[in-house]
């Protein structure tokens, strides 16, 4: 929906509210016109039902308002004496239109001294759970979101089994675009495996102000731009469908290229604006290696403890390969008494991989050799021709067209590129774009395979590892990576665990709370 359509929808809601409540406003001692004035009518309604004025704010927060609207309907009915279970069910199943019956037909009286305390333990529980969900939804959407590392694409910087807190406020929280969604879940409802949202209506993209921009080499969580395949709903039928931006699968990679940069990959190394990419000292790049042994095997625990190798595989009696090992660990592994030879697997420039962006004959190279590519920047203009069209076609049609509410179709007539039937010789970008890659260079599906990440797909910045679980550990205590608990994701130097400080603070909190409670009891 466009902004104008949303404005009309908003005005329609005001009219519906006025028609269904103006007599109730009068019975509560207010003026009928107060039910018509946008926002003001909500503030007055909060006074009528005896609730704080700031509940009005909750009515304008997407997803949260889906919880609050039924609450307001029920509270309004109860303010006029309709507080039975039947009344509550009727208010909810009629989507609030039961208030029309109260407004025009029923003989109701305003309860000026209505108690706001639930009359039963179950009512108290429902009230507590409801507002816990509201608070959690606000935190999850606008402040901090939990995230789990599911793959090894960023090892050994972030490990499979790391549980993160992702900050929404560093880059500015992205307000929900999907208006009707099940709270506290992403794209599916756990347990029953059905879609958790309605595709329409959609709000326009908007991002709250942040206190920093995405910096080069930042680790970033983002909505996977090309997430439109059915297999992510457990249906591997190869069909494609539209998925709202904020309901696409979340990915985590490193931002190696920023808007306006020129980027290339040479022998597995990233160069930005013809300079080698500078990485923080915590970054640990990994590559695939192959080698031969001197006839014997390897101890799996020793490989992990000494060289952080988790996936060494033998092809025959002596030849082996590993998909993820740092160059430093590889140099040490060469000195293993059972290693006869070891070499890094780097594709040569003459090998063109059709799976590399933008696919097929237009491929930029292979996973280790990517031809120089310009990363679009908002406001920048670039020539468009049949030669570079594969780089920017999806960007223009989908990211800046369909997903922005502006349907577009690009076609080619001879050597002429057409946009909606009109000649297109240059294009000015409407938003910034990024190039994302994993630190595990040979085990990461990233921008090398699907291209640019639009700014409106940025979710947040991982800031904190609160738990880490190693599935290779034998016992429960061995599976917990104690040294990673309560460590920061960014920064320089070896990560420092703040877990002990957390335990001390937690014990201190309970001790102080107990002392205060005892003092109050004595007094």
């Amino acid at each position: 929906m466009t902004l104008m359509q949303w404005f009309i929808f908003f005005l329609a809601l005001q009219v519906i509210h006025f028609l269904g409540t103006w007599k109730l406003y009068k019975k509560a001692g207010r003026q009928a016109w107060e039910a018509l004035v946008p926002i003001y009518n909500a503030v007055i309604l909060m006074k009528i039902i005896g609730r704080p004025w700031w509940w009005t704010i909750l009515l304008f927060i997407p997803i949260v308002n889906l919880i609050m609207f039924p609450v307001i309907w029920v509270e309004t009915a109860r303010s006029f004496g309709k507080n039975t279970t039947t009344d509550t069910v009727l208010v909810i199943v009629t989507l609030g239109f039961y208030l029309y019956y109260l407004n025009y037909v029923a003989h109701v009286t305003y309860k000026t001294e209505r108690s706001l305390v639930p009359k039963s333990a179950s009512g108290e529980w429902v009230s507590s759970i409801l507002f816990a969900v509201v608070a959690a939804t606000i935190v999850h959407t606008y402040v901090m979101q939990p995230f789990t590392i599911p793959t090894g694409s960023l090892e050994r910087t972030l490990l499979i089994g790391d549980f993160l807190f992702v900050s929404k406020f560093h880059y500015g929280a992205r307000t929900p675009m999907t208006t009707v969604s099940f709270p506290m879940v992403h794209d599916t409802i756990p347990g029953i495996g059905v879609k958790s949202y309605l595709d329409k209506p959609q709000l326009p993209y908007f991002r709250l102000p942040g206190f920093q921009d995405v910096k080069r080499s930042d680790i970033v969580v983002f909505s996977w731009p090309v997430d439109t395949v059915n297999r992510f709903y457990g249906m591997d039928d190869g069909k494609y469908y539209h998925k709202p931006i904020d309901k696409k699968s979340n990915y985590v990679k490193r931002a190696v290229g920023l808007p306006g940069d020129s980027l290339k990959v040479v022998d597995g190394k990233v160069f930005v604006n013809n300079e080698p990419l500078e990485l923080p000292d915590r970054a640990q790049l990994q590559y695939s290696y192959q080698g031969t042994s001197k006839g014997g095997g390897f101890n799996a625990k020793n490989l992990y403890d000494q060289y952080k190798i988790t996936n060494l595989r033998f092809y025959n009696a002596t030849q082996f390969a590993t998909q993820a090992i740092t160059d430093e660990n590889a140099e040490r592994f060469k000195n293993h008494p059972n290693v006869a030879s070891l070499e890094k697997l780097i594709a040569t420039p003459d090998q063109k991989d059709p799976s590399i962006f933008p696919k097929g004959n237009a491929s930029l190279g292979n996973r280790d050799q990517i031809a120089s590519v310009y990363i679009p920047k908002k406001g920048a203009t670039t020539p468009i021709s049949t030669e570079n069209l594969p780089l920017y076609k999806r960007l223009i049609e989908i990211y800046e067209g369909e997903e922005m509410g502006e349907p577009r179709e690009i076609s080619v007539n001879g050597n002429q590129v057409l946009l909606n039937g009109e000649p297109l010789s240059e294009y000015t970008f409407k938003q910034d774009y990024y190039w994302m890659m994993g630190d595990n260079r040979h085990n990461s599906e990233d921008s090398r395979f699907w291209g640019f990440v639009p700014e409106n797909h940025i979710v947040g910045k991982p800031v904190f590892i609160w738990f880490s679980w190693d599935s290779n550990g034998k016992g429960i205590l061995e599976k917990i990576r104690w040294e990673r608990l309560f460590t920061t994701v960014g920064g320089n130097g070896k990560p420092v665990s703040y877990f002990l400080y957390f335990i001390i603070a937690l014990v201190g909190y309970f001790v102080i709370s107990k002392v205060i409670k005892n003092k109050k009891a004595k007094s």
Side-chain angles (χ1 to χ4, degrees):
M1 294 178 70
T2 64
L3 286 174
M4 179 56 69
Q5 289 171 330
W6 272 110
F7 180 69
I8 295 173
F9 178 68
F10 175 74
L11 291 181
L13 287 181
Q14 303 307 308
V15 173
I16 292 172
H17 173 76
F18 171 74
L19 294 177
T21 60
W22 67 273
K23 285 189 175 182
L24 298 179
Y25 273 65
K26 290 183 67 176
K27 289 179 180 181
R30 309 300 303 194
Q31 299 297 317
W33 63 266
E34 292 180 297
L36 183 62
V37 181
I39 302 178
Y40 176 74
N41 55 10
V43 174
I44 296 302
L45 184 59
M46 295 308 122
K47 292 182 178 181
I48 292 174
I49 66 176
R51 296 300 182 177
W53 67 269
W54 52 263
W55 274 31
T56 303
I57 299 174
L58 301 180
L59 297 177
F60 291 91
I61 301 178
I63 307 305
V64 173
N65 55 14
L66 295 180
I67 304 171
M68 293 304 301
F69 280 133
V71 173
I72 300 301
W73 298 335
V74 171
E75 290 288 317
T76 302
R78 289 179 177 176
S79 295
F80 290 89
K82 297 297 183 178
N83 52 17
T84 66
T85 301
T86 301
D87 291 318
T88 300
V89 171
L90 286 173
V91 169
I92 294 175
V93 298
T94 61
L95 300 180
F97 281 97
Y98 181 63
L99 298 180
Y100 272 67
Y101 167 75
L102 304 184
N103 195 56
Y104 293 108
V105 180
H107 297 287
V108 294
T109 304
Y110 178 58
K111 305 298 181 181
T112 56
E113 302 298 329
R114 180 176 71 97
S115 174
L116 300 180
V117 179
K119 297 181 179 180
S120 65
S122 60
E124 183 69 36
W125 273 102
V126 170
S127 178
S128 299
I129 292 173
L130 181 67
F131 282 96
V133 171
V134 169
T137 300
I138 292 174
V139 172
H140 182 274
T141 305
Y142 297 97
V143 183
M144 199 76 69
Q145 176 182 342
F147 186 84
T148 306
I149 299 297
T151 69
S153 66
L154 273 168
E155 289 192 341
R156 296 210 47 84
T157 310
L158 293 177
L159 307 181
I160 295 176
D162 279 350
F163 291 78
L164 311 176
F165 281 134
V166 176
S167 165
K168 300 292 187 72
F169 55 83
H170 273 74
Y171 304 138
R174 183 181 63 183
T175 59
M177 288 162 269
T178 303
T179 57
V180 182
S181 176
F182 197 84
M184 298 298 296
V185 299
H186 192 53
D187 57 347
T188 55
I189 299 176
I192 58 177
V194 300
K195 196 166 69 170
S196 65
Y197 60 92
L198 297 181
D199 291 293
K200 293 181 180 180
Q202 287 280 309
L203 285 169
Y205 165 73
F206 179 75
R207 187 178 295 276
L208 298 174
F211 63 84
Q212 68 175 226
D213 296 325
V214 176
K215 299 176 183 176
R216 190 175 295 111
S217 295
D218 272 0
I219 295 176
V220 179
V221 173
F222 56 93
S223 303
W224 187 33
V226 295
D227 185 5
T228 55
V229 291
N230 274 336
R231 64 189 175 92
F232 290 94
Y233 277 124
M235 300 177 288
D236 198 12
D237 56 11
K239 295 181 179 179
Y240 286 73
Y241 69 102
H242 177 268
K243 201 171 183 182
I245 295 172
D246 56 340
K247 293 302 176 183
K248 293 182 178 182
S249 299
N250 286 334
Y251 263 36
V252 57
K253 306 289 179 186
R254 192 181 297 280
V256 298
L258 301 182
D261 284 345
S262 291
L263 180 143
K264 62 182 179 181
V265 180
V266 179
D267 296 334
K269 305 293 184 182
V270 176
F271 290 79
V272 181
N273 302 324
N274 290 321
E275 297 291 334
L277 174 67
E278 292 186 11
L279 293 169
D281 55 10
R282 288 191 189 180
Q284 300 184 56
L285 301 184
Q286 295 191 112
Y287 297 90
S288 294
Y289 278 78
Q290 68 178 9
T292 56
S293 71
K294 294 179 181 179
F298 297 94
N299 179 279
K301 188 175 187 305
N302 176 261
L303 287 179
Y304 180 76
D305 292 342
Q306 298 298 319
Y307 311 103
K308 303 303 178 186
I309 298 175
T310 59
N311 58 355
L312 188 139
R313 298 287 185 270
F314 273 88
Y315 294 118
N316 52 45
T318 58
Q319 291 183 312
F320 64 84
T322 177
Q323 197 176 32
I325 183 173
T326 64
D327 289 344
E328 180 183 3
N329 284 333
E331 286 301 313
R332 295 194 300 107
F333 189 45
K334 286 180 181 179
N335 297 321
H336 189 286
N338 192 36
V339 173
S341 65
L342 187 69
E343 64 175 346
K344 187 189 293 188
L345 293 175
I346 296 293
T348 57
D350 60 303
Q351 298 175 277
K352 178 170 281 194
D353 182 352
S355 68
I356 294 296
F357 176 77
K359 308 294 186 182
N361 293 331
S363 165
L364 290 173
N366 56 61
R367 66 182 185 180
D368 297 313
Q369 316 286 344
I370 299 290
S372 183
V373 59
Y374 172 73
I375 303 171
K377 182 177 183 179
K378 181 179 180 179
T381 301
T382 189
I384 299 295
S385 64
T386 53
E387 287 74 23
N388 69 359
L389 180 61
L391 290 173
Y392 305 117
K393 184 175 188 291
R394 180 176 177 84
L395 181 155
I396 298 171
E397 276 190 327
I398 305 299
Y399 304 152
E400 303 205 350
E402 177 185 326
E403 293 181 344
M404 292 290 196
E406 300 177 13
R408 293 173 171 180
E409 181 180 358
I410 289 181
S411 58
V412 176
N413 183 14
N415 292 324
Q416 180 68 63
V417 178
L418 304 175
L419 175 60
N420 293 338
E422 298 295 327
L424 179 68
S425 59
E426 63 179 22
Y427 184 79
T428 301
F429 304 108
K430 293 186 176 181
Q431 61 177 320
D432 288 330
Y433 291 82
Y434 301 86
W435 190 271
M436 307 288 189
M437 289 177 62
D439 290 352
N440 191 340
R441 294 291 196 248
H442 291 163
N443 187 28
S444 174
E445 185 174 324
D446 49 39
S447 287
R448 290 171 295 177
F449 297 91
W450 34 257
F452 310 112
V453 175
E455 188 270 342
N456 62 6
H457 283 57
I458 300 296
V459 173
K461 180 177 183 176
V463 293
F464 198 67
I465 300 172
W466 62 272
F467 187 72
S468 188
W469 182 261
D470 183 2
S471 60
N472 293 315
K474 293 183 179 179
I476 293 180
L477 294 180
E478 289 185 6
K479 288 181 180 291
I480 299 175
R481 301 186 182 108
W482 297 97
E483 75 283 358
R484 296 183 70 81
L485 301 190
F486 286 71
T487 59
T488 56
V489 174
N492 293 313
K494 186 177 180 180
V496 177
S497 174
Y498 295 94
F499 183 62
L500 180 59
Y501 301 98
F502 169 75
I503 296 298
I504 293 173
L506 192 62
V507 171
Y509 168 77
F510 283 114
V511 170
I512 294 172
S513 297
K514 184 69 173 177
V515 170
I516 293 174
K517 186 177 181 179
N518 289 339
K519 285 185 176 181
K520 287 183 177 180
K522 290 179 181 180
S523 62

